[in-house]
Amino acid sequence: QVQLVESGGGLVQTGGSVTVSCAASVRTFNNYAMGWFRQAPGKKREFVVAISRINNDSTYADSVKGRFTISRDNAKNTLYLQMNNLKPEDTAVYYCAATARAVFSISDTMYDYWGQGTQVSVSS
């Protein structure tokens, strides 16, 4: 069983930055590929970025490419999402997710564990 707890969201102005974290309660964090997803009010949950288990391969949604950076610290069992140059359309609840599969995925159905989410709001 994997428990994921996000933190670090908040209210940010357009063009600002924020970093959200995801702490994993698991014996071997690097057994899991990780992803960030987000859900805006009235919209479906959408893929943001995913990272591999060990070698930090990653893939980004086009909407965040060049602005967001995913990273992980396997020694601290923590996943990060640094978000720069934020836009109002980035406003959403951000969720981290974990999969024990060998490769990461952009599909939320491939993830086995989810955090409760953290709100990021970008004011215009």
Side-chain angles (χ1 to χ4, degrees):
Q1 188 72 13
V2 179
Q3 292 186 325
L4 303 172
V5 179
E6 300 95 337
S7 61
L11 177 63
V12 187
Q13 290 187 334
T14 296
S17 300
V18 69
T19 298
V20 293
S21 303
C22 172
S25 296
V26 63
R27 177 174 292 184
T28 310
F29 184 52
N30 60 15
N31 279 351
Y32 297 86
M34 302 295 295
W36 286 101
F37 292 78
R38 66 187 182 185
Q39 187 167 20
K43 295 187 176 181
K44 290 184 177 180
R45 185 164 56 192
E46 66 174 359
F47 169 76
V48 177
V49 58
I51 190 168
S52 62
R53 294 187 293 186
I54 297 175
N55 62 4
N56 290 329
D57 284 344
S58 58
T59 188
Y60 292 82
D62 287 343
S63 60
V64 306
K65 203 172 294 183
R67 300 187 298 121
F68 289 13
T69 303
I70 192 172
S71 61
R72 64 188 297 163
D73 186 335
N74 287 337
K76 295 182 178 179
N77 286 11
T78 303
L79 178 74
Y80 303 97
L81 179 64
Q82 181 179 352
M83 299 182 278
N84 297 326
N85 191 22
L86 283 160
K87 304 175 181 180
E89 52 264 42
D90 295 317
T91 294
V93 177
Y94 283 74
Y95 299 91
C96 67
T99 176
R101 293 172 174 83
V103 295
F104 54 66
S105 173
I106 66 171
S107 171
D108 61 357
T109 61
M110 301 299 283
Y111 288 83
D112 308 300
Y113 306 100
W114 291 83
Q116 83 290 349
T118 185
Q119 176 73 46
V120 174
S121 299
V122 184
S123 62
S124 57

